[in-house]
């Protein structure tokens, strides 16, 4: 079960302070965003001293899950994948997972973790490590990938994210007349801004989601190539008016 103290910290409602309905909605949203709870209901009531009592009725998602499946493609034949996750390690919302994929031409194993509210702040940390081995008719590669990112709030509904990824692989391009094995090292440093006014990211009915992402690499980081790229997205959610019957 989730640590009650961790839940109170995640909701960020300070006892004794003036309470607005928008703050209650924001607290519910923060609990939904932990992805630990299947349902998050909130109720407010007045006590004898006219203080507002806020009660959250929480139903947790299953803590452990194992997913598996088969896949088929003309280039890769038949493959199998399995994914095991602990979504609430130590009762503090930490996700620990492992993923494996095996096919005739592809094999990969990934381990990952997500640490919400890092050092009791509003920030999140995510890490992953993966080893892979790919062997196609025109291309082959084997190596590893490492990655991490930190997300922190900047203002109301605005978050900043910095991430670092590193890929190290031995690759062979078999379309060349004389294929040779080349080692490719690709560290990527990126920054992202995310503006999100949706009350419920799992089931958005209204609000705006916008993001801007800039990433790049350079020989100064030990990369084999230098580049800079950017991307942006914008999504607006609203409910269509009900059709009278």
């Amino acid at each position: 079960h989730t640590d009650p103290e961790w839940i109170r910290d995640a909701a960020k409602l300070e006892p004794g302070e003036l309470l607005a309905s928008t703050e209650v909605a924001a607290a519910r949203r923060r609990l939904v965003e932990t992805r630990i709870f299947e349902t998050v209901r909130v109720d407010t009531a007045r006590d004898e001293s006219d203080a507002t009592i806020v009660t959250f009725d929480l139903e947790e998602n299953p803590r452990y899950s194992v997913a598996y499946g088969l896949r088929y493609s003309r280039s890769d034949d038949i493959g199998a994948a399995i994914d095991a996750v602990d979504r609430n390690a130590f009762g503090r919302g930490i996700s620990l997972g492992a993923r494996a994929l095996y096919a005739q031409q592809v094999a990969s194993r990934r381990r990952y973790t997500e640490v919400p509210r890092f050092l009791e702040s509003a920030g999140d940390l995510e890490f992953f490590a993966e080893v892979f081995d790919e062997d196609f008719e025109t291309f082959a590669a084997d190596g590893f990938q490492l990655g991490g990112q930190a997300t922190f709030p900047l203002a109301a509904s605005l978050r900043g994210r910095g991430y670092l990824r590193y890929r190290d692989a031995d690759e062979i391009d078999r379309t060349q007349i004389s294929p040779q094995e080349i080692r490719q090292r690709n560290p990527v440093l990126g920054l992202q801004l995310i503006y999100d006014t949706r009350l419920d990211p799992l089931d958005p009915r209204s609000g705006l989601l916008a993001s801007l992402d800039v990433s790049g690499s350079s020989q100064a980081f030990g990369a084999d190539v230098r580049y800079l790229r950017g991307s942006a997205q914008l999504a607006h959610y609203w409910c269509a008016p009900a059709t009278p019957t």
Side-chain angles (χ1 to χ4, degrees), residues 138-141 169-184:
T138 60
F139 176 81
D170 294 322
E171 301 179 352
I172 301 176
D173 183 357
R174 292 175 174 156
T175 62
Q176 303 296 322
I177 297 177
S178 300
Q180 294 182 349
E181 185 174 271
I182 300 175
R183 184 180 180 185
Q184 295 282 357

Side-chain angles (χ1 to χ4, degrees), residues 7-143:
I7 295 175
R8 284 191 286 269
D9 290 342
K12 289 187 176 180
L13 288 179
E14 295 296 334
E17 293 189 356
L18 293 176
L19 185 66
S21 59
T22 55
E23 294 176 350
V24 175
R28 178 186 179 276
R29 176 186 175 183
R30 285 189 285 268
L31 292 175
V32 169
E33 288 178 341
T34 66
R35 302 189 297 275
I36 296 173
F37 307 106
E38 183 176 358
T39 58
V40 179
R41 303 183 183 92
V42 61
D43 181 60
T44 58
R46 298 279 187 177
D47 64 7
E48 296 179 354
S49 63
D50 203 33
T52 301
I53 306 298
V54 180
T55 304
F56 291 100
D57 182 11
L58 308 173
E59 182 178 348
E60 294 187 12
N61 283 310
R63 175 175 171 178
Y64 304 103
S65 67
V66 176
Y68 55 90
L70 298 175
R71 72 176 206 171
Y72 172 79
S73 67
R74 296 181 62 182
S75 62
D76 197 28
D77 205 3
I78 297 177
I82 185 168
D83 198 333
V85 181
D86 178 356
R87 291 187 175 86
N88 196 8
F90 314 111
R92 302 188 65 82
I94 298 173
S95 294
L96 300 175
R99 179 178 302 145
L101 169 65
Y102 293 96
Q104 183 176 355
Q105 296 173 304
V106 176
S108 68
R109 296 163 299 281
R110 171 178 287 209
R111 295 178 181 175
Y112 53 91
T113 182
E114 179 180 354
V115 184
R117 298 186 53 75
F118 177 62
L119 296 179
E120 302 304 321
S121 71
D124 297 336
L125 283 180
E126 297 177 57
F127 303 97
F128 80 87
E130 179 181 16
V131 294
F132 57 87
D133 186 357
E134 303 172 348
D135 188 4
F136 297 97
E137 182 178 351
T138 60
F139 176 81
D142 68 89

Side-chain angles (χ1 to χ4, degrees), residues 155-176:
S157 304
L158 181 65
R159 291 175 293 164
R161 175 177 296 158
Y163 60 86
L164 177 64
R165 298 178 185 135
Y166 180 78
R167 173 186 168 98
D168 191 318
D170 294 322
E171 301 179 352
I172 301 176
D173 183 357
R174 292 175 174 156
T175 62
Q176 303 296 322

